[in-house]
Amino acid sequence: MSPQPLAAQLWRQLPFFVWLVAVWMLLWGQFTWLAFLTGVIMALLVTRVFRLPPVELSGRLNFWYGFIFVGEFLASLVAGSLTVAWQALDLRRQPGAAIIAVQLLTDDDLIMTHVGVTASLIPGSLVLEADRERRILYLHVIGVRSAADVEKHRKSTQRWERRIVRAVGSRHQVEQVLAGAERAGGGAS
């Protein structure tokens, strides 16, 4: 594989670079030229000193599925918050908890990260570990009383993977998760 031209490398890293500058400005709480210039300097420093493997973006963004993802995510935030609040207030019984392994279909670090963050942000679940080699997320979930509850949480996390891939994944990843959903009998949500 031949090395990429410098312009192509810079273009691929541009979203990450812009994000670093934005985070710098947000950390300082200033949107001034000075904050922007120091953010650029810090972003250059971070990207040159702490050399990370380049993030490979799919170059594809589906606004419709992105909109669906955001809507369902907000609904899940509300539902999860209400469920956890009820479990905390229900003094008659303990909510029950479990650690579950969720096998992901896509072999992409960025998608795995998005799925892990999404699962952790919804109240009632938290990612404990991500096994990158085997594409498994280990989640601690509350409100689990049976094997059916475990399977419900596992399927929910896999549905988040499908939603994220349909919004920002490559065409190959979309085909992969849709085929995996049909094999598992989970539909193409």
Side-chain angles (χ1 to χ4, degrees):
M1 190 164 101
S2 64
Q4 293 180 333
L6 182 60
Q9 290 176 7
L10 292 175
W11 180 252
R12 283 196 184 277
Q13 293 299 311
L14 185 63
F16 178 64
F17 190 83
V18 169
W19 175 249
L20 287 175
V21 173
V23 167
W24 179 261
M25 293 171 74
L26 288 170
L27 285 173
W28 285 101
Q30 297 179 1
F31 296 96
T32 63
W33 284 108
L34 180 61
F36 174 76
L37 291 175
T38 57
V40 168
I41 292 168
M42 290 308 296
L44 283 170
L45 183 68
V46 165
T47 57
R48 295 299 158 223
V49 172
F50 303 108
R51 300 288 295 179
L52 296 172
V55 175
E56 295 292 327
L57 302 174
S58 69
R60 182 185 157 278
L61 181 62
N62 186 312
F63 288 107
W64 174 248
Y65 285 110
F67 179 74
I68 290 173
F69 169 80
V70 170
E72 290 183 357
F73 177 72
L74 293 174
S76 293
L77 279 178
V78 171
S81 297
L82 293 173
T83 301
V84 169
W86 174 250
Q87 290 169 345
L89 295 174
D90 187 6
L91 301 176
R92 296 174 292 163
R93 58 184 167 167
Q94 295 292 326
I99 296 175
I100 63 171
V102 179
Q103 179 72 51
L104 300 180
L105 294 172
T106 55
D107 187 18
D108 185 291
D109 293 341
L110 196 57
I111 298 292
M112 185 179 215
T113 301
H114 286 316
V115 174
V117 168
T118 301
S120 288
L121 286 175
I122 296 171
S125 65
L126 177 70
V127 173
L128 296 175
E129 183 178 348
D131 184 343
R132 182 176 176 242
E133 301 300 320
R134 298 185 306 162
R135 301 182 325 253
I136 298 175
L137 289 178
Y138 294 94
L139 296 149
H140 179 273
V141 295
I142 61 173
V144 175
R145 297 195 168 281
S146 66
D149 290 339
V150 168
E151 196 56 34
K152 181 180 93 172
H153 283 285
R154 183 176 291 124
K155 296 272 187 219
S156 173
T157 305
Q158 290 169 335
R159 257 192 327 276
W160 285 118
E161 178 188 23
R162 286 194 301 275
R163 291 176 187 127
I164 291 167
V165 167
R166 292 185 87 173
V168 298
S170 68
R171 294 193 192 292
H172 172 70
Q173 290 169 336
V174 171
E175 293 168 2
Q176 189 178 16
V177 296
L178 292 179
E182 288 187 17
R183 277 194 306 273
S189 62

